[in-house]
Amino acid sequence: MRYSQYFLPTLKENPADAEVVSHQLMMRAGMIRKVAAGVYSYLPFGLRSIRKVEQIVREEMNRAGAIELLMPMANPAELWQESGRWDYYGKELLRFKDRHQRDFCMGPTHEEVVTDVVRSFVKSYRQLPVNLYQIQTKFRDEVRPRFGLMRGREFIMKDAYSFDTNDEGANESYEKMRQAYCHIFERCGLKYRMVEADSGAIGGSFSHEFMVLAATGEDVVISCESCEYSANIEKAVVVDQGEVSQEPMREVERVVTEGAHTVADVSLMLNLDPQQIVKTMLVMADDQPVAVLIRGDHELNEAKIKNLLGASVLELANPEQIAEATGGPVGFSGPLGLKVPIYADNAVKYLRNIGVGGNEKDIHLEGVNLERDFQVTQFADLRNAMEGDRCPHCGGQYSNTRGIEVGHIFKLGTKYSEAMKATFLDADGKANDIIMGCYGIGIGRTVAASIEQNHDDDGMIWPMPLAPFQVLVNMLNPKDDAVREAAENLYRALLDAGVEVLLDDRDERPGAKFKDADLIGIPLNVTVGARGLKEGQLEVKDRATGEKSMLPLESAATMLQERVTSALAGV
Ligand code: ATP
Ligand code: MG
């Protein structure tokens, strides 16, 4: 491709509405153009990288035995009503009516459509297992679309769905996908972690997420420093350990804590460490109020309490609900005299003489003790894991890293097949529900995550497998005949060798061309200039390391091709 004839509109300044670096750089490097909030055009340079991720995904899916199909974006409401998600999915589901006033939605995911395909053709156990996948555009009306392709409303996803006759088979299908995902992210040249993820309260199901590691990631990944265990923060297990404090019990005392809003305020006013304070948080589990006790220095994990209660919807209570359940305002809830069920994090059972809210404006209590002053319905692991907590598998220490969720695999069980009557006849002629799994990868988010992980102050740094072009040939002065000829020859030789090359033949100042080269981040940058040519040499810069070396003119194409090949192979 010749830069002079290409469509690569770069910007000097960061666009005002781009908060994260991948979004800024994708806009500046002319990869995407915003059409509406969370809806983008993929411009030619961006599309090349998108296509590369798709290709890797497609090859690994095929290799794992999955079969490609393509399902529609427009989904009729009937299928979603059958699964029950028409009512349950909420506002992320973009609904519309056709000219006959029939309800439709834009598919945010395709369990319904694919289950309908399978149930209409699959009758016998002999037709299973099968795994169907597509690479297709999804629409989710996200509350806060942001960060460019990272959280769009319209985005490209690879979604696969497995169908098995028994649990063992379903686990095997899951395992194949898990391995395929590892191959995919390795082949993309990204540093990633597979983490155990929360799978909600569906029985027999499990789930893993694939996180591209990046300091700017939205997700917290908890990893053991000593073994392989990694989990996302929603799931990471906190070991129940400790000894009940032997402190003598004091009497309960009322303390005026006017204007206290945070644990830190209360801790100061009660003269107690945050570890001695217990927060009482009111949540609504399927519209029923429940109190959750968490130590002052810990954070409530909503997924854990939701799973413990088996609730389908769990929300923090609003001020009216808090007043109704406790008789007091927000910030002053406590366990004494509460009529609602009280669940407490394990850490709370080891405490004596704690400080809690008084269920009254500007009042806290201290010297409060479990059993004597209040009862707990159940203790459980209800808090977020933290750096330094113990690993449940090996006793090692947890550390925190940040990541971007690019893939998610999920054993679904019979949730959809049951609701939508997707059954098969077994060898005895008996009808059974098909056991399903679903497996997603965000294609655009993977490209964005790659940039979050690999960039510097000057621009992007593509890993070779995702680079829109592999080599940039910079024709320093197109008016110099020798330079022009050498650059053209190298360009043709690279094309002949199957290398993806961008020839910067623009009549621009060298400074501007080097700046653009750094911004667009093509892995190998070759400079063809008059000075080097006199010695029969070309300079090649490795964009990632900044290392420069000289190549003899006559073997330059071969040597560049070799460098591309070995970078693709991860050597
Ligand atoms: P998140 O928690 O980030 O909203 P999710 O759990 O809703 O993700 P899944 O339903 O598991 O995501 O979708 C599979 C994959 O699709 C995700 O791992 C992610 O890579 C991608 N994805 C999901 N939502 C978006 C989005 N709004 N924009 C871009 N990619 C997305
Ligand atoms: Mg989501």
Side-chain angles (χ1 to χ4, degrees):
M1 185 57 63
R2 289 168 189 281
Y3 206 142
S4 62
Q5 289 158 31
Y6 196 42
F7 190 83
L8 212 173
T10 59
L11 303 174
K12 290 203 176 54
E13 303 294 329
N14 280 332
D17 64 342
E19 294 164 60
V20 297
V21 76
S22 60
H23 188 192
Q24 292 167 354
L25 290 172
M26 287 178 100
M27 299 284 288
R28 281 184 53 202
M31 297 179 71
I32 52 173
R33 158 96 191 145
K34 182 161 136 186
V35 180
V39 179
Y40 290 86
S41 292
Y42 306 104
L43 304 185
F45 191 70
L47 185 62
R48 290 183 72 100
S49 187
I50 297 268
R51 291 282 185 251
K52 293 219 163 163
V53 176
E54 287 179 356
Q55 191 52 28
I56 292 172
V57 168
R58 187 172 272 125
E59 284 171 17
E60 293 303 325
M61 283 290 123
N62 294 345
R63 197 148 77 122
I67 309 160
E68 187 168 3
L69 83 172
L70 188 57
M71 292 178 279
M73 262 187 96
N75 290 192
E78 289 76 33
L79 289 179
W80 286 75
Q81 283 154 352
E82 262 192 79
S83 72
R85 285 207 288 187
W86 185 258
D87 295 325
Y88 182 72
Y89 212 96
K91 290 192 173 162
E92 260 188 39
L93 192 64
L94 183 67
R95 299 153 210 250
F96 61 99
K97 285 186 194 293
D98 70 5
R99 62 165 79 197
H100 306 294
Q101 300 305 306
R102 291 190 193 108
D103 285 315
F104 277 82
C105 66
M106 298 285 250
T109 171
H110 278 75
E111 283 81 3
E112 281 77 1
V113 179
V114 76
T115 304
D116 178 57
V117 169
V118 168
R119 73 175 169 187
S120 54
F121 296 106
V122 171
K123 302 293 170 208
S124 152
Y125 71 96
R126 287 197 197 87
Q127 294 164 282
L128 296 173
V130 69
N131 184 331
L132 298 171
Y133 81 95
Q134 64 176 344
I135 297 176
Q136 191 245 19
T137 300
K138 304 279 183 243
F139 199 99
R140 294 184 183 177
D141 205 352
E142 300 270 355
V143 210
R144 258 189 7 108
R146 59 190 189 281
F147 307 155
L149 298 196
M150 200 83 90
R151 186 169 297 284
R153 293 197 296 167
E154 188 177 295
F155 59 96
I156 304 173
M157 197 203 284
K158 183 286 299 176
D159 43 329
Y161 306 89
S162 65
F163 298 83
D164 278 270
T165 56
N166 57 38
D167 216 44
E168 242 167 58
N171 292 351
E172 252 171 62
S173 298
Y174 184 91
E175 179 55 22
K176 275 190 200 152
M177 285 295 107
R178 196 185 66 76
Q179 283 176 15
Y181 273 46
C182 291
H183 293 151
I184 287 167
F185 295 113
E186 266 152 39
R187 277 189 60 190
C188 286
L190 299 173
K191 287 189 275 301
Y192 75 97
R193 272 267 191 174
M194 182 185 77
V195 306
E196 282 183 16
D198 176 52
S199 57
I202 312 163
S205 58
F206 44 83
S207 165
H208 286 91
E209 284 170 356
F210 289 75
M211 301 279 188
V212 165
L213 301 179
T216 50
E218 266 191 322
D219 293 297
V220 176
V221 180
I222 304 283
S223 315
C224 174
E225 287 176 351
S226 315
C227 75
E228 287 294 287
Y229 180 70
S230 267
N232 72 16
I233 189 102
E234 290 180 343
K235 170 92 181 188
V237 175
V238 178
V239 179
D240 178 15
Q241 60 175 19
E243 274 174 38
V244 178
S245 157
Q246 293 307 313
E247 230 178 89
M249 286 194 202
R250 291 202 305 268
E251 289 307 306
V252 177
E253 258 183 70
R254 276 164 63 92
V255 184
V256 177
T257 48
E258 201 178 330
H261 289 295
T262 61
V263 170
D265 296 341
V266 176
S267 152
L268 217 72
M269 291 184 193
L270 299 187
N271 197 18
L272 283 178
D273 285 342
Q275 287 96 311
Q276 283 294 114
I277 290 170
V278 169
K279 301 182 268 196
T280 303
M281 315 191 56
L282 267 294
V283 298
M284 303 301 290
D286 295 335
D287 296 327
Q288 292 302 311
V290 170
V292 189
L293 307 186
I294 302 286
R295 212 170 80 181
D297 58 328
H298 290 156
E299 268 174 36
L300 170 67
N301 182 313
E302 289 182 35
K304 288 180 181 175
I305 181 73
K306 182 172 176 225
N307 288 345
L308 181 72
L309 299 172
S312 349
V313 182
L314 185 123
E315 287 168 328
L316 292 178
N318 63 32
E320 291 80 62
Q321 291 163 331
I322 291 175
E324 200 183 316
T326 70
V330 180
F332 296 91
S333 304
L336 273 65
L338 274 194
K339 296 283 182 301
V340 303
I342 300 178
Y343 290 82
D345 179 61
N346 289 323
V348 172
K349 70 178 154 223
Y350 304 109
L351 302 176
R352 280 252 173 108
N353 301 320
I354 55 178
V356 297
N359 296 326
E360 217 180 295
K361 186 170 180 332
D362 296 339
I363 295 295
H364 275 80
L365 307 176
E366 60 176 345
V368 169
N369 285 284
L370 184 68
E371 304 291 339
R372 186 191 70 181
D373 304 320
F374 67 97
Q375 306 293 323
V376 164
T377 311
Q378 190 182 340
F379 286 99
D381 168 17
L382 296 176
R383 72 164 170 98
N384 284 341
M386 302 194 302
E387 201 138 47
D389 282 343
R390 295 268 154 232
C391 168
H393 297 286
C394 75
Q397 280 208 10
Y398 277 165
S399 72
N400 272 353
T401 28
R402 291 202 152 260
I404 298 162
E405 180 205 317
V406 288
H408 192 176
I409 59 177
F410 205 105
K411 187 179 164 203
L412 287 167
T414 56
K415 183 177 171 194
Y416 295 94
S417 48
E418 228 180 290
M420 298 181 65
K421 301 191 180 57
T423 57
F424 67 94
L425 295 178
D426 64 19
D428 303 324
K430 206 173 123 264
N432 293 285
D433 292 327
I434 301 178
I435 302 172
M436 291 174 60
C438 68
Y439 316 93
I441 291 182
I443 302 289
R445 193 184 279 184
T446 300
V447 171
S450 158
I451 299 169
E452 290 294 330
Q453 187 178 81
N454 305 287
H455 65 268
D456 61 17
D457 290 345
D458 299 319
M460 304 187 277
I461 302 175
W462 290 104
M464 191 62 84
L466 303 191
F469 293 92
Q470 297 160 336
V471 174
L472 175 80
V473 176
N474 188 350
M475 182 191 280
L476 260 199
N477 178 3
K479 294 203 177 98
D480 179 324
D481 286 342
V483 167
R484 172 163 281 280
E485 193 189 319
E488 290 281 351
N489 286 343
L490 177 63
Y491 175 58
R492 266 191 302 274
L494 286 169
L495 285 180
D496 289 344
V499 174
E500 296 166 352
V501 50
L502 181 66
L503 174 67
D504 190 352
D505 55 350
R506 294 174 304 163
D507 191 8
E508 293 271 356
R509 283 177 304 106
K513 292 170 91 167
F514 286 127
K515 254 198 145 48
D516 277 341
D518 280 342
L519 172 63
I520 66 177
I522 294 172
L524 295 172
N525 291 342
V526 186
T527 303
V528 185
R531 213 177 316 145
L533 277 186
K534 282 202 191 95
E535 329 256 293
Q537 304 262 358
L538 303 174
E539 185 192 85
V540 55
K541 181 176 117 176
D542 182 318
R543 174 65 183 90
T545 61
E547 255 169 61
K548 291 179 180 167
S549 49
M550 300 307 282
L551 295 179
L553 189 54
E554 61 280 9
S555 53
T558 324
M559 290 170 81
L560 287 164
Q561 184 204 11
E562 277 164 12
R563 282 181 65 172
V564 169
T565 313
S566 54
L568 285 177
V571 183

